[in-house]
Structures are given as C-alpha cells and as structure tokens.
Amino acid sequence: MSAEADLPDVLIISDKTPGAVSAKFVSLLRRDPRFLDLPVLVLVSPLRPTVGLAGIKVGQEIQLEKPVHPQEILAIVKRFLGRPQA
C-alpha cells in the first residue's frame, strides 16, 4: 500500500481545531502538490465570520456556519466525492 492511497478524499476542519488556525492550515496544505485539489470544508463559528473569508482566500472549498446539520455535511461530502479527480 502506498502513501498516496492514504490521502483523504475530503478534509473537514473546524475554525477551533486545536493547534491550527484554519486559514493558515489550509494555506500550508495547499503548498503540497498532493493536496492542491483536495476539497476542504471548514466549519466556522457564527461569531468569527472573518475566519471563513480568510480561508476562502487561501483555497478552502466551502465553509458552513456552526451549528451544522449532519445531513448538510453529508450532502457536501457526497458532492465532493462525485467530482472527477485531477
């Protein structure tokens, strides 16, 4: 099994992820060619709207404001999984 097989299909992070600022994390992630096309969904606090804007500028795919209904996350993940890969 190669390391490439272990790459995620979709990444879901929170603006409260311990040890990471979501926009900075996404920016660092996008520097690695393996993750250029990785869909990134960021869950943001309604009290931190600028967090989502910063993430969009560095390449996050989409943001959802918390609280998030699980069916909404599932629908977005299914949409990402149905995309053709680069």
Side-chain angles (χ1 to χ4, degrees), residues 6 8 14 23-24 26 49 51 60 62 73:
D6 293 336
S14 170
K24 184 173 183 171
V26 173
V51 169
Q60 94 189 20
I62 193 168
I73 294 174

Side-chain angles (χ1 to χ4, degrees), residues 21-63:
V21 174
S22 58
K24 184 173 183 171
F25 177 78
V26 173
S27 178
L28 291 171
L29 186 74
R30 294 295 187 220
R31 291 181 188 175
D32 185 327
R34 297 173 300 160
F35 300 113
L36 284 175
D37 296 320
L38 176 68
V40 178
L41 166 62
V42 178
L43 307 177
V44 298
S45 168
L47 302 176
R48 301 178 69 197
T50 58
V51 169
L53 180 59
I56 289 169
K57 288 180 180 178
V58 297
Q60 94 189 20
E61 291 280 333
I62 193 168
Q63 70 180 30

